[in-house]
């Protein structure tokens, strides 16, 4: 297969008793032909579009007839394209619209916020004028980042990155920050029942010693006057995970059949796009539902949030499944371990675990207890009585 | 005399005597230089003329890949090539 010519090419069909002679005459006049084939009584060949009119005298001379079967190539496509004026105008307008729309910020997202709710950061950003639909060239990202750092005490650093129409607010928040402004003095108190293992006091008076058992809410490091307590207290905390697995179970397995219902909504109004309530009979007896919402800000200068809501109904088939005692124990143990681990905070280490699995009442019951070394201190504003006592002491 | 000159001067005969030069690549491509055009093109045979005769390609799916005043390139499943000088044809 020969590559198509940029200027295009025409497939012609030559019919008549002296087809070969017409081809020979064309060649002697310098008209190139290629991919010549015999199709019953006719000859077919490709020819340059510019040479087609030169064939006319040869057709008369030989008594053959020539007609066009096919035109192909970029040149033809291009010509046809520009003949459709409204399409060209539409394309140009579309391009202009894309360029224009890309001058706005449409998506704002927060990355790296672990202690602070991203919604709080977005709220402050909104107050500073950063909303979906903002004219991106008006935004001073460096200035805005410093403002956000100043206004949100829980973060130490804010970086703003613009990629296309997406603005990412990258945040590094203060480790252990519990949400109190820096001018509110705090104590450090126990978050849960624990045995104190390590204490590093940076400011304030230690209220407990290593090895002491404390209950949730007990003061660990006491702040003094307007000085906040500061430091790290690590303790041993017991975490328990329990799970129970019945030996005779009904297992639900997706069959793969599903229907999706779609709604579009804005400003509290919702319009069904899918089958909605039109379906007389719901197709599945057993099913599970998953809701998926996508939002987009549309409009300018006051964008409206449009929500596209999809409800996925997935058919389930239910069958009875009997587990052996061993299987049920294994599943229960895995689930109990997972539940125990899910309660452990970050930067904690599991020192020891104890497991017990028993079979009773036609079920396997597993319990996993772990001793975890973790941060147990949380900040709490100094109570008024504390201030009173200190005032009396002075 | 005319045919002796290329031998005396060791010159290519196809140039001096206007003879065809036929190049065949495997059984699927052939090029004919010094041709005089297509004489006959049928479903299973293609006849190309030269100054003193004709060359017949027989086979299937025969296509003239390109044709110019210098060269004809034939493609397809070439099963036989027959040279028919004019003298033989006259007999």
């Amino acid at each position: 297969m020969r590559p198509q010519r940029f200027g295009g090419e025409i497939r012609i069909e030559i019919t008549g008793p002296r087809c070969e002679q017409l081809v020979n005459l064309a060649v002697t006049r310098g008209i190139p032909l290629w991919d010549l084939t015999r199709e019953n009584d006719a000859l077919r060949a490709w020819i340059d579009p510019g040479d087609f009119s030169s064939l006319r005298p040869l057709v008369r001379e030989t008594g053959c007839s020539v007609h066009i079967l096919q035109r192909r190539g970029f040149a033809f496509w291009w010509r046809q394209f520009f003949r459709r004026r409204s399409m060209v105008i539409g394309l140009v307008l579309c391009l202009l619209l894309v360029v224009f729309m890309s001058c706005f910020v449409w998506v704002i997202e927060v990355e790296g916020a672990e202690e602070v709710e991203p919604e709080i950061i977005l709220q402050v950003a909104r107050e500073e004028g950063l909303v979906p639909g903002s004219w991106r060239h008006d935004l001073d990202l460096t200035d805005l980042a410093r403002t956000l750092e100043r206004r949100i005490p829980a973060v130490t650093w804010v970086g703003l990155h613009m990629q296309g129409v997406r603005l990412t607010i990258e945040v590094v928040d203060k480790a252990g920050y519990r949400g109190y402004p820096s001018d509110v003095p705090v104590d450090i108190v126990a978050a849960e029942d624990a045995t104190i293992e390590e204490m590093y006091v940076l400011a304030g008076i230690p209220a407990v010693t290593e090895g002491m058992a404390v209950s949730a809410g007990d003061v660990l490091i006491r702040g003094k006057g307007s000085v906040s307590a500061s430091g790290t207290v690590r303790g041993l905390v017991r975490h328990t995970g329990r799970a129970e697995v019945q030996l005779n179970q009904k297992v639900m397995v997706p069959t793969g059949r599903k229907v999706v219902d779609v709604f579009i909504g804005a400003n509290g109004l919702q319009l069904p796009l899918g089958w909605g309530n039109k379906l007389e009979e719901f197709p599945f007896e057993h099913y599970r539902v998953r809701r998926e919402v996508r939002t987009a800000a549309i409009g300018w200068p006051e964008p409206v949030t449009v929500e596209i809501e999809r409800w996925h109904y997935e058919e389930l088939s239910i069958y009875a499944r009997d587990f052996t005692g061993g299987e049920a124990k294994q599943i229960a143990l895995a689930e109990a371990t997972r539940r125990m681990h899910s309660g452990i905070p970050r930067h904690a280490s599991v020192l020891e675990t104890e497991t017990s699995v028993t079979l009773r009442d036609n079920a396997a019951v597993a319990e996993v207890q772990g001793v975890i070394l973790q941060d147990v201190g949380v900040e709490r504003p100094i109570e008024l009585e504390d201030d009173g006592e200190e005032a009396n002491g002075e | 005399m005319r045919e002796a000159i290329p031998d005396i001067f060791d010159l290519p005969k196809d140039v001096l005597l206007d003879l065809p030069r036929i190049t065949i690549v495997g059984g699927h491509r052939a090029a004919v230089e010094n041709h005089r055009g297509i004489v006959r093109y049928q479903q299973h045979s293609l006849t190309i003329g030269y100054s003193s005769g004709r060359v017949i390609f027989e086979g299937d799916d025969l296509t003239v890949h390109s044709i110019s005043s210098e060269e004809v390139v034939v493609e397809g499943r070439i099963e036989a090539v027959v040279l028919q000088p004019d003298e033989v044809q006259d007999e």
Side-chain angles (χ1 to χ4, degrees):
Chain A
M1 185 82 187
R2 156 204 306 272
Q4 285 187 27
R5 297 186 157 203
F6 186 77
E9 50 193 0
I10 298 176
R11 187 76 168 157
I12 54 167
E13 187 173 75
I14 308 161
T15 45
R18 296 161 70 199
C19 305
E20 290 91 346
Q21 200 188 353
L22 189 141
V23 171
N24 292 336
L25 279 172
V27 170
T28 53
R29 310 246 165 116
I31 302 169
L33 299 167
W34 58 94
D35 285 347
L36 198 66
T37 55
R38 164 63 76 178
E39 305 287 338
N40 301 322
D41 294 337
L43 285 182
R44 289 180 181 178
W46 288 103
I47 184 172
D48 198 281
D51 288 334
F52 183 71
S53 57
S54 318
L55 287 181
R56 201 162 294 152
L58 309 184
V59 168
R60 272 199 296 272
E61 208 173 307
T62 56
C64 295
S65 70
V66 173
H67 65 269
I68 295 171
L69 293 177
Q70 187 190 346
R71 294 175 174 88
R72 72 177 185 193
F74 183 74
F76 288 110
W77 180 85
W78 190 247
R79 227 171 287 160
Q80 212 166 11
F81 177 74
F82 275 97
R83 221 171 282 159
R84 298 174 184 170
R85 197 173 297 165
S86 53
M87 195 162 109
V88 177
I89 293 170
L91 190 79
V92 170
L93 284 179
C94 181
L95 278 174
L96 287 176
L97 190 69
V98 168
V99 171
F100 177 70
M101 295 302 266
S102 66
C103 292
F104 298 94
V105 178
W106 293 113
V107 180
I108 300 171
E109 55 186 21
V110 178
E111 262 179 23
E114 285 169 355
E115 306 283 346
V116 194
E117 283 294 316
E119 190 44 47
I120 294 174
I121 295 166
L122 290 174
Q123 174 62 40
V124 177
R126 266 196 295 276
E127 286 166 17
E128 292 299 327
L130 179 58
V131 286
S134 305
W135 183 252
R136 55 183 285 179
H137 302 292
D138 280 353
L139 298 173
D140 182 345
L141 297 186
T142 321
D143 191 48
L144 200 57
R146 297 295 84 80
T147 311
L148 292 182
E149 271 172 23
R150 204 174 53 245
R151 286 201 50 193
I152 310 167
V155 302
T156 49
W157 179 83
V158 175
L160 300 179
H161 310 284
M162 185 76 96
Q163 194 174 32
V165 296
R166 181 184 297 266
L167 185 102
T168 309
I169 305 178
E170 205 184 330
V171 167
V172 176
D173 45 21
K174 288 178 187 159
Y177 185 84
R178 306 293 168 181
Y180 301 113
S182 51
D183 54 349
V184 175
V186 291
D187 287 331
I188 290 181
V189 300
E192 46 201 316
D193 297 354
T195 308
I196 303 302
E197 191 73 9
E198 303 165 349
M199 281 187 77
Y200 303 100
V201 180
L202 299 175
I205 303 152
V208 290
T209 54
E210 284 165 9
M212 266 176 77
V214 293
S215 306
D218 288 355
V219 176
L220 304 176
I221 307 173
R222 204 174 288 283
K224 196 168 186 302
S226 61
V227 179
S228 284
S230 168
T232 306
V233 183
R234 282 160 79 76
L236 300 176
V237 179
R238 251 174 209 287
H239 285 265
T240 311
R242 281 188 197 86
E244 193 180 308
V245 173
Q246 297 290 328
L247 293 186
N248 315 110
Q249 282 200 4
K250 279 184 177 172
V251 181
M252 291 187 284
V253 179
T255 61
R257 290 174 65 202
K258 70 172 192 177
V259 289
V260 182
D261 202 7
V262 190
F263 296 90
I264 188 164
N267 285 341
L269 292 170
Q270 216 177 37
L271 206 73
L273 290 181
W275 44 266
N277 300 324
K278 282 176 280 181
L279 214 62
E280 282 177 15
E281 207 171 290
F282 193 74
F284 309 138
E285 189 183 351
H286 303 287
Y287 59 93
R288 65 176 176 206
V289 188
R290 189 164 54 84
R291 180 173 173 260
E292 180 195 345
V293 181
R294 287 192 182 179
T295 55
I298 295 173
W300 184 81
E302 288 296 323
V304 176
T305 306
V306 176
E307 268 189 359
I308 293 179
E309 199 175 305
R310 288 160 163 270
W311 292 82
H312 301 259
Y313 297 90
E314 293 167 348
E315 190 186 33
L316 299 172
S317 74
I318 297 183
Y319 65 93
R321 170 144 189 213
D322 297 331
F323 289 108
T324 63
E327 281 173 342
K329 278 180 173 179
Q330 214 177 346
I331 298 169
L333 185 62
E335 179 57 21
T337 310
R338 194 191 63 77
R339 286 185 189 168
M340 192 275 284
H341 276 98
S342 68
I344 301 176
R346 287 188 300 149
H347 314 304
S349 43
V350 182
L351 296 189
E352 54 179 82
T353 52
E354 247 176 65
T355 58
S356 75
V357 193
T358 52
L359 273 176
R360 63 164 184 258
D361 300 338
N362 211 25
V365 180
E367 187 174 294
V368 178
Q369 282 208 349
V371 178
I372 316 297
L373 179 63
Q374 64 177 72
D375 283 332
V376 291
V378 288
E379 291 181 346
R380 190 178 67 188
I382 294 177
E383 286 165 12
L384 283 174
E385 304 90 82
D386 288 358
D387 286 346
E389 277 170 27
E390 278 156 15
N392 291 341
E394 282 166 356
Chain B
M1 182 61 198
R2 190 168 169 250
E3 292 191 4
I5 292 172
D7 290 334
I8 295 166
F9 295 101
D10 198 19
L11 290 168
K13 278 187 181 178
D14 58 316
V15 177
L16 284 182
L17 303 179
D18 201 16
L19 293 174
R21 177 192 284 258
I22 304 167
T23 316
I24 299 180
V25 183
H28 57 86
R29 190 182 173 102
V32 183
E33 291 168 67
N34 285 342
H35 69 94
R36 290 287 161 84
I38 296 171
V39 178
R40 199 146 187 228
Y41 187 177
Q42 287 175 311
Q43 213 71 40
H44 301 288
S45 79
L46 173 65
T47 309
I48 295 168
Y50 62 89
S51 58
S52 55
R54 51 192 65 186
V55 51
I56 305 166
F57 292 94
E58 286 172 1
D60 287 323
D61 303 328
L62 296 177
T63 308
V64 178
H65 177 264
S66 62
I67 178 165
S68 67
S69 50
E70 289 86 31
E71 186 186 51
V72 185
V73 178
V74 181
E75 281 184 348
R77 280 207 305 279
I78 301 168
E79 286 161 3
V81 183
V82 181
L83 279 173
Q84 249 182 16
D86 280 342
E87 301 85 37
V88 176
Q89 201 188 349
D90 292 339
E91 277 172 9

